[in-house]
Amino acid sequence: MTAIGNVTMGSHDTGEHAIGTVILFLSFAVLAGCICKLVLSQILKNKFPAPFTVIILIFGFSIGMIISHIYGMSNDFLLGEKELREINPHLIYYIFLPLLIFDSAFNSRFHVIRPQIISAILLAGPGVLISITIVAVFATYIFPYHWSWLVSIMFGSILSATDPVAVVALLHESGASKSLAALIDLESLLNDGSAFVIFMIFRDIVVGKSDGAKKIIIDIAKFTIGGPVFGIVCGIIAVIVLNMVHNELEIEIISTFGLAYLIFYVADVELEVSAVLALVVMGLFMAKHKYCISSQVQVPMANTWRIITDFANILIFIITGIILAHSLINTKTTIVARDFGLSILLYIALHLGRLLSVIVLHPFIRWSGVRLSLKEHIVLIWSGLRGSMSVILALMVDSENQIDIETRHRFLFHICMITLLTLIINGTSSKFLVRFLGLDHGTPESEQILLQALEHMRRQTSNQLHKMKQEKQFSEVDWDMLNEYLPEKLAQEMDAQRRTSVHRRFSVLPDFADDLLLNSYRNNTITDIESKEIPSICEIDTVPIDFIPEESNSTIKHIVLPVMDFRSNDRKENTHFRNELTIRFLTALLVDYEKQWYHGMIRRRTLYILIKSVERAKHQHSLKLHWKLIVEHFRLSKWLHNLMRLDCVQWINKQSNKLLFDHIFLTIELILAFHSTQTRMDNIRKQFPELANIDKRIWNKVYEETRLYHLTATYILLDLQQSYGACWGIHMTKRCAQMLLKYESKAITELYETGVLGHSVYLHILELIEKKSLKLEFYRVSMVKDHLKAIENPFDLLPLFRSLPNHEKTRWQTIMKAKHRWFQPGQILLKKGQRVQTAYLIARGIVECKIDTMPIYYRSGNIVGIDALFSQDVLIHDTYRVSAGLLEAYCIDGILLNQFLKDENLAPSIYREIALNVLSNNYQARLKLNRLQLRLLVHKRAKFYWNELDLSIQLKENQRLFILAGYVNHLFNGQNNKYESMQLQIFDTETEILLNSSTVAYSWMDEDEEFLIKDTNLAVHFPLQAYDLLSNDLLYSGYLSQVTQFSKRRHSASLLDNGIHSSDV
């Protein structure tokens, strides 16, 4: 019993000692890797051509080669190395692969790699098959080993798993094409999965586990379909669960690591599907919904994953290097000198196969929308490095006793040789190749922007240096020594590293004074440019048809909207610079959206929409596309549209109202977020005026385009504010509540840092604030008791019926309910030149009509098409379409119009609306009045004649008479002239007009027109009521610039609190 116990205790001690030696060696390996990285960055200044991972691999390989030649010596360090080189390859597979694969997928920018998905699938699917075929043919007919086709295909599948981590890192560091780096990285992820699937299938066939065609087909389907399906299901569940967690740092970070290992194990062992593909798909899905991670956890999450993957890369490349060294030593009994030459030929064959794959798939890659230059194709071909994945698979083959030992040794030797050759040759030469092809520089436009950025930094530094020289405490400073720290020196050092000539161009820039530059810029803003600007304005009628504002009404503000002519100029447009400028501005918008999310102003759902539209717009270099994609989300879904038609059922009506409320809430949130575009552009313009020096005309056009979309968003916001008061109020309440919570969080942190509050109390208060913030994520604002979140009745918004008695209002509400309709953004209501069967009384939303290039907007209370419906002889004057938001309107046909005109309470308002439309469409140029002036003329200044029986009126000299319906008799010099309807008559002398019961007419004096023209409040066509309510001081709070911490990768600037006032616009 004692002997057995001693043996057990001894084996236990031996196992513990072995584990201790492994920890010793791994600790040494990690520290050695850190020292290597320190030497590369601090001593060699990153000038050594080999990437860090290749150096670590060579370091591990060297250790393995040295230790393999040490005999008769034993210590803990050597024992630790021995334990590692004999490690089970499945253990490496399960420890390191989930980390590296999930990190590459999860921390990728999904919207950047999304356009490359089809191309990556082509390279990882047909491309891998082509590569496997080339290698299998080479192994069968060139290798003198007499391998079967099954063995050769298994060999080819191992060598098809690429690991271009060194090349991708180099492309990111050099600032080369992001699309190329994303394509290579994504292709590596996917072809690891496809190569592993093929390897598993043919390995099972070779070792005798799969011998039937049915089993092989089932395995192929299970691996290729089962893995991605399992991955997408797990990704959906993970995103839903993480969305429910709010700012739980430890939980959110640890759960992502646990998910990576759990999903990998379940897929591989329990479900027996492709674990690699499952993890890749889940990681990409979570990357697409990366904002399921809380705002305050985003940066720590990225930092944690970066540290862990760096740690894992050091370990796996050192272990791989050791295994490669001993594998080459252990196979020397089987390997002869000829095999080294065959490995070199295989290395060439692999690149020929890669070349053939790219050539064959090139038309399909172009078809997918990816446009790569010849230089980028060369890098794509050269990026086929082999790494740890190939070595792991080779070690798995080496552990299969069913395969003869010579084949296993040859597999291991050739795969180790190819891994070494690709990592050393391709990995080391990639830096030279990228530089030789000129891909380490940006585009000429980005270089120009860089030059102006350095100039901006030089001006700012010069100002600061000038101020410092005036200070007495700096009187003893050696100013000549400070030249080493000026921007010119930084430009020289950057040129030395990048081999560029920025400093040479930077040094010849004229050193103008800052105030001269700013004055020059201000004198060339868009409002002062005369070429190609059309002197016209946009109009909207915000005055209800039965509401007459007083001249002294100070609540009406007026904003001019100049319309730019974007027709081609004689001078060739610098398209590339405009694209580059648009990308930079869209990137600034992306930063702005993320900051709004960080401060609780928008929800995750809204952020997803905005980020997705920004990334797609960046791909097309189009701000217009960004706005268009946002507007797409204003549309009602088909099922909600159909559900709203079933309003006869009370429960369905209640649910549809809730869904509609949510939809309007999202619309408000999206437009408010986009409303910051002008602020962002103004900040760039004020902080970085040098940017306009590159091409002022392009800069001004981009700025003006931004301004137009900003004003459009402003008009929609004002309409939403007036039309959906309850929804707007709840959103503003939620926004203010979030601002207060952020302010409270900031204040409580300051109290804690000054020692006023203890740690436990501080954490408790922060937890309470976080809980309230989580509730606000789903806009759960506490409502007043018995106050429901409901959409206002559109009938109550119509000023036409507002003054009616209650019983009349109820009767008309019943009649109008059947005429109620919803219209989607951009939907055409009336087409130019057609006869009108239906006019539209606008309840909510904006209708747009363009006359030439001048847009006219109609809001609540207006009836579009009423003039053409009233007189069937009149064709519709222009095309009317719904503007960017939803439109809620009542359809008016001929029968309903007659009912209106027979009602004594409604008829005057309807006739005024008809008269306004006829005068605006046919006589506006003759009267020289804008639409607001015409509306006030008809409503207030003109005298209205209706239902008068044989009434004779005296018109003075220069008095106007507009006959809307019926006819009048003109008695002059004993003659009786008859004037028909739809005519405007101006009389030079006093005259007598005879009216009858069918006559509907308006008369006014020329003094009335002059009065309206002289009124400066009516000189602009677009009155915006209560515009100050949209001040950015309310929408974007002043403390937004005081952000505690943001990742440099994710944020490039901070929000400023400069609001936009009407004078700015």
Side-chain angles (χ1 to χ4, degrees):
M1 191 75 175
T2 305
I4 295 174
N6 290 337
V7 170
T8 305
M9 185 68 70
S11 62
H12 181 69
D13 291 340
T14 304
E16 285 185 350
H17 185 259
I19 294 173
T21 59
V22 170
I23 298 299
L24 171 67
F25 186 84
L26 289 179
S27 302
F28 164 78
V30 172
L31 290 175
C34 294
I35 293 172
C36 287
K37 195 159 192 176
L38 195 63
V39 170
L40 282 175
S41 61
Q42 299 297 323
I43 299 177
L44 300 179
K45 305 296 182 184
N46 293 319
K47 294 181 180 179
F48 195 74
F52 172 68
T53 51
V54 175
I55 293 174
I56 292 298
L57 179 85
I58 296 173
F59 179 74
F61 183 80
S62 302
I63 292 177
M65 294 297 290
I66 293 171
I67 292 178
S68 64
H69 289 85
I70 296 177
Y71 303 101
M73 182 178 176
S74 178
N75 56 38
D76 288 349
F77 183 82
L78 298 178
L79 288 175
E81 191 271 346
K82 180 176 180 297
E83 290 289 335
L84 280 178
R85 73 171 180 257
E86 294 175 356
I87 191 173
N88 190 321
H90 292 85
L91 194 59
I92 301 176
Y93 175 75
Y94 284 114
I95 291 177
F96 294 108
L97 229 58
L99 273 180
L100 300 177
I101 290 176
F102 185 74
D103 172 69
S104 296
F106 176 62
N107 288 314
S108 62
R109 294 187 66 88
F110 181 81
H111 297 294
V112 175
I113 67 175
R114 182 176 182 173
Q116 279 77 34
I117 288 180
I118 296 178
S119 300
I121 291 174
L122 289 171
L123 290 170
V128 166
L129 294 177
I130 293 173
S131 178
I132 291 174
T133 303
I134 297 293
V135 175
V137 170
F138 185 91
T140 303
Y141 294 106
I142 304 299
F143 280 176
Y145 307 140
H146 307 292
W147 284 349
S148 66
W149 275 102
L150 293 176
V151 174
S152 298
I153 292 174
M154 182 175 66
F155 180 72
S157 66
I158 295 175
L159 287 177
S160 295
T162 60
D163 186 12
V165 59
V167 177
V168 172
L170 176 64
L171 290 173
H172 284 304
E173 291 173 4
S174 63
S177 171
K178 293 181 180 179
S179 61
L180 176 62
L183 176 60
I184 295 174
D185 202 8
L186 183 59
E187 180 219 347
S188 172
L189 279 174
L190 296 178
N191 79 7
D192 280 353
S194 56
F196 186 77
V197 167
I198 297 172
F199 165 76
M200 293 296 293
I201 292 171
F202 281 90
R203 188 201 64 170
D204 290 347
I205 296 174
V206 170
V207 300
K209 294 182 180 179
S210 295
D211 51 2
K214 181 179 179 181
K215 178 70 165 56
I216 295 172
I217 294 173
I218 292 175
D219 286 343
I220 293 174
K222 183 172 65 173
F223 279 113
T224 56
I225 299 176
V229 170
F230 179 64
I232 195 71
V233 170
C234 293
I236 293 172
I237 296 173
V239 168
I240 292 174
V241 173
L242 286 171
N243 270 319
M244 299 178 182
V245 182
H246 188 67
N247 288 338
E248 294 288 348
L249 181 69
E250 296 84 357
I251 294 175
E252 295 184 53
I253 294 178
I254 294 173
S255 62
T256 55
F257 286 95
L259 272 174
Y261 282 105
L262 178 64
I263 301 308
F264 194 85
Y265 176 83
V266 171
D268 191 63
V269 177
E270 301 297 333
L271 301 180
E272 295 183 351
V273 297
S274 174
V276 176
L277 289 178
L279 206 56
V280 167
V281 172
M282 186 184 79
L284 290 176
F285 184 84
M286 293 180 68
K288 179 182 178 182
H289 300 85
K290 72 172 184 175
Y291 298 106
C292 63
I293 305 299
S294 302
S295 57
Q296 296 182 8
V297 184
Q298 290 271 336
V299 176
M301 173 82 75
N303 292 337
T304 304
W305 270 100
R306 185 175 66 252
I307 292 170
I308 296 298
T309 51
D310 285 347
F311 180 78
N313 272 317
I314 291 175
L315 292 183
I316 195 169
F317 275 95
I318 283 184
I319 294 173
T320 302
I322 293 170
I323 293 173
L324 287 175
H326 287 279
S327 298
L328 293 176
I329 297 296
N330 294 336
T331 57
K332 62 182 180 182
T333 56
T334 307
I335 303 304
V336 295
R338 175 190 60 184
D339 294 314
F340 286 91
L342 291 173
S343 288
I344 295 174
L345 291 177
L346 177 60
Y347 172 79
I348 298 173
L350 278 173
H351 286 80
L352 292 176
R354 179 77 172 175
L355 174 64
L356 180 62
S357 299
V358 173
I359 292 175
V360 171
L361 297 175
H362 174 71
F364 303 99
I365 292 175
R366 285 186 62 85
W367 166 81
S368 69
V370 177
R371 300 288 190 269
L372 298 179
S373 64
L374 177 61
K375 295 178 180 179
E376 290 172 333
H377 276 99
I378 294 173
V379 175
L380 179 63
I381 294 168
W382 196 245
S383 65
L385 283 69
R386 272 62 178 176
S388 303
M389 185 71 170
S390 297
V391 176
I392 292 172
L393 298 181
L395 290 173
M396 287 183 178
V397 172
D398 190 55
S399 64
E400 294 288 348
N401 294 324
Q402 292 90 337
I403 303 174
D404 65 274
I405 191 169
E406 289 188 355
T407 300
R408 284 185 279 153
H409 282 183
R410 285 165 178 159
F411 260 58
L412 197 56
F413 170 78
H414 286 297
I415 290 169
C416 290
M417 283 295 296
I418 292 300
T419 302
L420 284 172
L421 288 173
T422 55
L423 285 172
I424 293 174
I425 297 176
N426 295 49
T428 304
S429 62
S430 293
K431 193 170 186 177
F432 294 108
L433 181 64
V434 170
R435 283 183 176 177
F436 176 76
L437 296 174
L439 295 177
D440 58 334
H441 305 155
T443 62
E445 291 73 30
S446 64
E447 291 293 310
Q448 288 179 353
I449 293 177
L450 171 62
L451 191 64
Q452 294 300 328
L454 290 173
E455 173 62 17
H456 175 76
M457 185 169 64
R458 180 170 69 175
R459 295 179 192 278
Q460 297 295 322
T461 306
S462 298
N463 287 339
Q464 184 62 32
L465 188 62
H466 178 73
K467 293 178 182 178
M468 293 169 67
K469 286 181 179 181
Q470 308 302 318
E471 298 291 338
K472 291 183 179 180
Q473 62 265 33
F474 297 132
S475 59
E476 302 300 325
V477 171
D478 186 348
W479 301 109
D480 293 333
M481 188 179 295
L482 288 181
N483 290 333
E484 289 293 317
Y485 305 96
L486 294 179
E488 289 83 353
K489 188 63 177 179
L490 295 177
Q492 283 182 345
E493 294 176 358
M494 184 176 64
D495 282 344
Q497 292 181 3
R498 301 171 71 233
R499 297 186 180 182
T500 55
S501 59
V502 172
H503 177 263
R504 179 174 56 82
R505 290 178 290 162
F506 179 47
S507 60
V508 299
L509 284 176
D511 191 13
F512 296 116
D514 285 339
D515 54 350
L516 179 61
L517 174 68
L518 292 173
N519 290 335
S520 173
Y521 176 75
R522 292 190 187 103
N523 291 333
N524 289 280
T525 54
I526 193 69
T527 54
D528 296 322
I529 291 181
E530 297 179 358
S531 61
K532 294 289 182 180
E533 185 173 2
I534 302 174
S536 58
I537 55 180
C538 298
E539 306 176 39
I540 188 170
D541 291 320
T542 57
V543 183
I545 60 177
D546 61 350
F547 170 70
I548 308 301
E550 299 294 332
E551 287 85 346
S552 60
N553 191 347
S554 60
T555 62
I556 300 181
K557 308 277 182 161
H558 312 291
I559 296 177
V560 178
L561 177 59
V563 181
M564 292 298 298
D565 185 3
F566 291 104
R567 292 172 292 185
S568 60
N569 201 301
D570 295 335
R571 187 161 64 100
K572 185 178 180 181
E573 184 178 19
N574 190 345
T575 307
H576 296 295
F577 174 65
R578 177 164 187 166
N579 292 344
E580 190 71 32
L581 188 62
T582 303
I583 289 176
R584 301 300 173 101
F585 176 60
L586 287 170
T587 303
L589 270 186
L590 188 145
V591 172
D592 193 61
Y593 295 150
E594 287 186 338
K595 286 186 178 181
Q596 290 187 48
W597 172 61
Y598 179 85
H599 288 281
M601 292 182 169
I602 58 177
R603 295 167 292 163
R604 287 176 171 137
R605 176 188 177 188
T606 308
L607 182 64
Y608 285 134
I609 295 171
L610 294 168
I611 297 298
K612 181 179 178 181
S613 63
V614 166
E615 295 293 353
R616 287 185 60 184
K618 285 171 66 177
H619 187 65
Q620 298 292 331
H621 315 111
S622 172
L623 183 62
K624 179 181 179 181
L625 179 61
H626 176 45
W627 172 246
K628 182 180 178 182
L629 292 172
I630 291 177
V631 171
E632 284 295 316
H633 290 276
F634 301 165
R635 302 176 65 88
L636 286 175
S637 60
K638 289 184 178 179
W639 70 273
L640 177 56
H641 202 178
N642 293 328
L643 187 67
M644 291 165 59
R645 294 174 180 173
L646 304 175
D647 55 354
C648 54
V649 182
Q650 184 178 359
W651 182 85
I652 295 179
N653 185 42
K654 184 178 179 181
Q655 298 304 315
S656 63
N657 280 336
K658 287 183 179 180
L659 293 173
L660 177 62
F661 190 95
D662 294 345
H663 179 81
I664 300 301
F665 193 95
L666 176 64
T667 301
I668 294 173
E669 203 168 34
L670 285 170
I671 302 181
L672 278 173
F674 180 81
H675 191 260
S676 67
T677 53
Q678 186 70 23
T679 305
R680 174 60 62 187
M681 198 68 174
D682 282 342
N683 290 341
I684 296 174
R685 173 180 155 192
K686 293 173 183 177
Q687 297 174 3
F688 191 16
E690 292 86 357
L691 195 61
N693 290 341
I694 301 175
D695 193 324
K696 289 185 175 64
R697 187 176 61 88
I698 298 298
W699 166 265
N700 289 333
K701 290 182 73 174
V702 173
Y703 179 80
E704 182 62 21
E705 184 182 7
T706 305
R707 199 161 141 255
L708 289 174
Y709 293 128
H710 174 265
L711 287 177
T712 303
T714 301
Y715 308 146
I716 298 174
L717 278 176
L718 288 171
D719 180 72
L720 289 171
Q721 180 186 14
Q722 297 175 14
S723 300
Y724 301 95
C727 195
W728 178 273
I730 290 175
H731 183 86
M732 286 295 109
T733 304
K734 178 246 179 190
R735 182 172 285 248
C736 290
Q738 195 70 58
M739 289 179 181
L740 287 175
L741 290 175
K742 288 295 179 183
Y743 178 79
E744 291 169 5
S745 177
K746 178 176 175 291
I748 205 70
T749 302
E750 290 176 352
L751 290 172
Y752 170 70
E753 291 174 349
T754 55
V756 176
L757 289 179
H759 184 68
S760 59
V761 177
Y762 164 69
L763 292 179
H764 181 68
I765 296 176
L766 273 186
E767 183 181 357
L768 294 176
I769 293 174
E770 290 297 335
K771 287 181 179 179
K772 290 183 178 293
S773 297
L774 179 60
K775 290 182 180 180
L776 287 175
E777 174 73 18
F778 303 97
Y779 65 89
R780 294 178 184 145
V781 181
S782 299
M783 301 291 295
V784 180
K785 190 176 181 180
D786 299 329
H787 188 267
L788 301 177
K789 297 179 181 178
I791 302 293
E792 296 84 347
N793 188 342
F795 184 83
D796 296 335
L797 300 175
L798 296 174
L800 179 64
F801 304 99
R802 198 169 292 160
S803 60
L804 295 180
N806 289 334
H807 68 281
E808 280 292 304
K809 190 181 295 185
T810 304
R811 183 177 70 85
W812 278 110
Q813 185 172 359
T814 305
I815 295 172
M816 298 298 290
K817 186 177 181 180
K819 304 294 183 178
H820 178 265
R821 298 290 184 275
W822 284 92
F823 299 94
Q824 303 282 24
Q827 186 173 345
I828 295 177
L829 302 177
L830 301 169
K831 286 187 177 181
K832 181 178 181 179
Q834 293 185 348
R835 296 194 180 278
V836 173
Q837 302 298 324
T838 304
Y840 300 92
L841 172 58
I842 303 172
R844 279 189 280 240
I846 299 176
V847 174
E848 175 184 340
C849 172
K850 281 191 176 181
I851 300 177
D852 296 327
T853 58
M854 185 173 67
I856 303 169
Y857 296 92
Y858 297 89
R859 279 198 61 249
S860 176
N862 286 280
I863 308 176
V864 295
I866 186 69
D867 53 335
L869 179 64
F870 176 73
S871 176
Q872 290 298 311
D873 296 333
V874 177
L875 301 179
I876 194 66
H877 189 261
D878 284 286
T879 298
Y880 294 83
R881 68 177 71 241
V882 183
S883 188
L886 286 173
L887 178 72
E888 202 172 353
Y890 292 94
C891 299
I892 300 176
D893 54 17
I895 298 175
L896 183 58
L897 178 60
N898 288 330
Q899 289 182 266
F900 283 156
L901 297 178
K902 290 178 182 177
D903 191 302
E904 293 184 356
N905 295 319
L906 300 181
S909 296
I910 297 298
Y911 279 126
R912 281 197 292 265
E913 188 69 13
I914 298 171
L916 173 65
N917 279 270
V918 174
L919 290 173
S920 300
N921 294 332
N922 299 300
Y923 300 105
Q924 185 174 10
R926 184 176 173 184
L927 295 173
K928 299 180 181 179
L929 297 175
N930 61 41
R931 290 178 181 257
L932 176 59
Q933 292 164 341
L934 283 174
R935 176 177 290 282
L936 295 178
L937 174 69
V938 172
H939 279 250
K940 185 173 183 180
R941 310 292 297 189
K943 190 172 182 180
F944 179 49
Y945 301 98
W946 169 57
N947 204 15
E948 303 286 352
L949 182 60
D950 298 329
L951 175 66
S952 176
I953 60 174
Q954 296 291 327
L955 297 182
K956 299 179 181 179
E957 182 181 356
N958 290 327
Q959 190 165 358
R960 281 81 162 129
L961 178 68
F962 173 61
I963 305 104
L964 180 61
Y967 65 92
V968 299
N969 292 315
H970 177 206
L971 305 177
F972 183 69
N973 293 333
Q975 296 181 354
N976 188 357
N977 297 322
K978 185 177 181 181
Y979 296 121
E980 300 290 342
S981 61
M982 299 296 178
Q983 292 188 31
L984 174 64
Q985 299 294 331
I986 301 177
F987 300 96
D988 297 331
T989 59
E990 291 188 10
T991 187
E992 182 182 2
I993 299 295
L994 183 62
L995 309 179
N996 56 69
S997 59
S998 66
T999 303
V1000 179
Y1002 293 85
S1003 69
W1004 63 89
M1005 300 292 296
D1006 58 342
E1007 290 87 354
D1008 296 320
E1009 297 178 14
E1010 293 175 2
F1011 173 82
L1012 295 171
I1013 291 174
K1014 291 178 181 180
D1015 191 342
T1016 56
N1017 287 329
L1018 306 176
V1020 182
H1021 290 228
F1022 211 138
L1024 295 180
Q1025 295 182 356
Y1027 179 76
D1028 353 346
L1029 294 180
L1030 293 181
S1031 169
N1032 282 8
D1033 294 329
L1034 171 64
L1035 303 181
Y1036 316 105
S1037 60
Y1039 61 82
L1040 282 186
S1041 58
Q1042 303 174 2
V1043 181
T1044 55
Q1045 181 185 10
F1046 282 107
S1047 170
K1048 293 180 182 179
R1049 175 183 64 83
R1050 295 174 57 242
H1051 299 284
S1052 59
S1054 62
L1055 280 173
L1056 298 183
D1057 57 349
N1058 296 329
I1060 299 180
H1061 305 287
S1062 58
S1063 58
D1064 296 326
V1065 184

